[in-house]
Amino acid sequence: MKYLRIYTDADGTSHFADAEWRLREGDFTPPSPSGYSITDQLRPKALLMMHHPAGYRDEWHCAPAPVLGTVLRGRVRISVSDGDARILGPGDQFLAVDLAGAGHRMDEVDGGAYDLALVVLDDGPDAIPTDWK
C-alpha cells in the first residue's frame, strides 16, 4: 500500500517521497482468519473531513501537525517548494510532515470540488517514525 510523503529538508525546502506502509501479518480482528496485513497503530489526535469547492487554491502552508490525508472525491494537485507537483485522486493517501519551512499548496483539477479525510496524528517525540519525518 503506497502513500505520498510531503516533508521538509534541512534547508526548509519541501519535497515528495513515494513511500509504502510497513505491513505485517494481521491480528487486529480476532477470530478473523489470517491472510491480511496491517500497519503498526498510529496515534490519532483528531479526525476531520474537509470539502474544497471547484476553483479552490491553497496558499503555501506547512502542516499544523503530522496529517494523514485520503482523497475521498475529486482530484487534487499538491505542489511542494522544490517545484514538483503530484495529482491525487480518490483513494490516494498522503502524509504531510512538513511542519516547518516553505510548505506545500493544494488546488483542485478538472474544474471540480474535492473532499479529503484528514487524520491529525499525535506529534509527540515517539508518535511518528523518524524515517517518516
Side-chain angles (χ1 to χ4, degrees), residues 2-6 16-19 78 86 88 93-95:
K2 296 180 180 185
Y3 68 94
L4 182 64
R5 185 166 63 98
I6 305 167
F16 291 124
D18 293 308
I78 303 176
R86 305 278 182 96
L88 304 181
Q93 295 182 316
F94 62 90
L95 178 68

Side-chain angles (χ1 to χ4, degrees), residues 2-85:
K2 296 180 180 185
Y3 68 94
L4 182 64
R5 185 166 63 98
I6 305 167
Y7 70 98
T8 304
D9 67 18
D11 294 328
T13 304
S14 55
H15 305 275
F16 291 124
D18 293 308
E20 292 194 29
W21 294 112
R22 284 174 273 184
L23 299 172
R24 60 180 170 80
E25 186 175 339
D27 61 355
F28 183 68
T29 57
S32 293
S34 63
Y36 64 93
S37 300
I38 61 173
T39 66
D40 290 335
Q41 292 188 23
L42 301 172
R43 289 184 239 160
K45 184 185 286 185
L47 167 69
L48 63 126
M49 303 297 162
M50 187 177 283
H51 171 76
H52 298 86
Y56 182 83
R57 183 174 182 140
D58 267 345
E59 295 298 328
W60 287 98
H61 65 280
C62 294
V67 175
L68 172 61
T70 303
V71 179
L72 300 175
R73 179 177 67 110
R75 294 183 353 125
V76 59
R77 178 183 302 107
I78 303 176
S79 302
V80 290
S81 65
D82 71 2
D84 199 359

